[in-house]
């Protein structure tokens, strides 16, 4: 019996990689499927993994009708055993309803992959509907990590490295690379930089644990990342005492104190 499955997780936890792997496994067993995606980082009509894999896919637009799409393909003689639906958080609730109908009435498996919540910790409409309708919801076992090393549970949107909690729900960007320890410290929010008026702000995303998401501490704004670069607070007097003690030891008589 066909199923509607929803594989969810934060950014950077391997959803697209798993989608491509599942497509490969099913094709290897002689099954035929269609790949769908929306707003992939590699561009339209593509499913891409951060591991470097890229496979062509059908782009999903707000007016895409899955039921009509499959009906037309089957009318033309196409055999369809399953669907791979990546970036499903961007699908409309009507489109999720169409996918559920395809499972129930066409007996076609639907494997959907997506982020559960946005940068404000609010559910995406598509993800919410999938949670409501899916036969199974599986959280991916590959855990994305916060900069502190704990399991990342939330997605944070950053603008020039500073976390923001307002704005449009859908702004395409990629996960920020780890902060280069040799780079200059991030300026305070609101500080003017040369050429700011002519420079487009860099929008990115970062996965954070709940604690640092609520504190709005990203890898570029947390002072704790630089704590290991601060010299130990040795006092000048302590240093002199250590040096003086070493001098006394060097001038001591090896035979002193002997009977």
């Amino acid at each position: 019996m066909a199923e509607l499955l929803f594989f969810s997780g934060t950014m950077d936890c391997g959803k697209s990689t798993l989608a491509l792997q599942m497509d490969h496994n099913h094709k290897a067993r002689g099954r035929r499927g269609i790949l769908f995606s929306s707003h992939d980082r590699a561009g339209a009509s593509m499913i891409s993994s951060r591991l470097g894999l890229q496979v062509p896919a059908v782009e999903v637009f707000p007016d895409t009708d899955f039921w009509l799409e499959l009906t037309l393909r089957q009318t033309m003689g196409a055999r369809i055993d399953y669907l791979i639906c990546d970036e499903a958080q961007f699908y409309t609730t009507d489109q999720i309803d169409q996918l559920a109908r395809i499972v129930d009435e066409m007996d076609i498996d639907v494997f959907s992959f997506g982020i559960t919540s946005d940068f404000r910790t609010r559910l995406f409409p598509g993800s919410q509907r999938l949670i409501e309708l899916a036969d199974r919801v599986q959280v991916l076992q590959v855990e994305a990590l916060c900069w502190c090393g704990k399991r990342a549970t939330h997605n944070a949107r950053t603008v020039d490295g500073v976390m923001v909690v307002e704005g449009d729900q859908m702004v395409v960007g990629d996960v920020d690379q780890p902060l280069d320890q040799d780079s200059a410290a991030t300026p305070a929010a609101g500080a003017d930089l040369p050429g700011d008026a002519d420079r487009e702000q860099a929008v990115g995303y970062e996965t954070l644990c709940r604690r640092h998401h609520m504190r709005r501490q990203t890898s570029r704004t947390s002072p704790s990342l630089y704590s290991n670069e601060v010299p130990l607070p040795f006092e000048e007097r302590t240093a002199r005492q250590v040096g003086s003690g070493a001098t006394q030891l060097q001038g001591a008589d090896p035979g002193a104190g002997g009977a």
Side-chain angles (χ1 to χ4, degrees):
M1 178 177 289
E3 288 186 306
L4 172 60
L5 275 66
F6 180 37
F7 298 90
S8 68
T10 63
M11 299 182 72
D12 208 23
C13 72
K15 296 183 299 301
S16 296
T17 302
L18 178 59
L20 296 178
Q21 182 66 54
M22 290 190 68
D23 177 55
H24 169 78
N25 290 351
H26 283 266
K27 283 183 177 178
R29 294 296 178 264
R31 304 190 77 201
R32 298 181 183 179
I34 306 175
L35 280 65
F36 292 93
S37 187
S38 179
H39 299 89
D40 189 271
R41 69 182 70 85
S45 304
M46 191 71 65
I47 294 180
S48 66
S49 164
R50 290 188 178 86
L51 298 183
L53 303 174
Q54 291 190 6
V55 174
V58 179
E59 184 71 12
V60 177
F61 299 99
D63 60 350
T64 296
D65 188 320
F66 284 107
W67 180 265
L68 180 60
E69 180 85 17
L70 266 66
T71 299
L72 291 175
R73 289 173 181 263
Q74 290 179 325
T75 301
M76 297 175 63
R79 171 186 157 191
I80 305 171
D81 299 312
Y82 65 92
L83 304 182
I84 298 290
C85 297
D86 199 23
E87 306 293 352
Q89 72 273 7
F90 296 139
Y91 300 1
T92 67
T93 56
D94 287 342
Q95 288 170 337
I96 302 303
D97 289 344
Q98 294 162 13
L99 292 175
R101 183 185 176 193
I102 287 170
V103 172
D104 295 337
E105 300 186 23
M106 294 186 181
D107 199 31
I108 294 175
D109 287 311
V110 174
F111 307 111
S112 59
F113 304 80
I115 299 170
T116 307
S117 58
D118 63 16
F119 69 105
R120 302 166 299 180
T121 69
R122 302 290 189 268
L123 290 174
F124 282 99
S127 299
Q128 179 178 341
R129 192 61 178 151
L130 275 167
I131 293 173
E132 295 167 348
L133 295 181
D135 296 297
R136 284 186 286 159
V137 177
Q138 297 185 6
V139 178
L140 296 194
Q141 295 180 356
V142 178
E143 297 181 350
L145 298 179
C146 177
W147 59 262
C148 68
K150 293 183 179 179
R151 176 174 175 264
T153 55
H154 294 78
N155 304 300
R157 179 182 296 171
T158 62
V159 176
D160 289 341
V162 179
M163 179 175 165
V164 296
V165 293
E166 296 181 356
D168 295 337
Q169 186 177 53
M170 187 178 67
V171 175
V172 178
D174 205 351
V175 174
D176 286 339
Q177 296 298 318
L179 178 62
D180 184 356
Q181 298 294 334
D182 295 330
S183 63
T186 302
D192 293 330
L193 293 176
D196 268 354
D198 301 327
R199 182 177 60 84
E200 183 178 354
Q201 292 180 313
V203 177
Y205 289 89
E206 183 173 348
T207 55
L208 300 175
C209 64
R210 183 179 63 242
R211 176 186 181 188
H212 289 120
H213 190 281
M214 295 183 70
R215 291 184 176 183
R216 303 187 188 181
Q217 288 182 334
T218 69
S219 61
R220 295 178 181 268
T221 60
S222 175
S224 62
L225 286 180
Y226 300 95
S227 61
N228 61 342
E229 300 179 1
V230 179
L232 295 175
F234 288 123
E235 296 182 0
E236 184 178 355
R237 184 183 63 179
T238 303
R240 288 201 303 268
Q241 290 175 347
V242 172
S244 175
T247 302
Q248 292 175 0
L249 288 174
Q250 291 176 358
D253 183 0

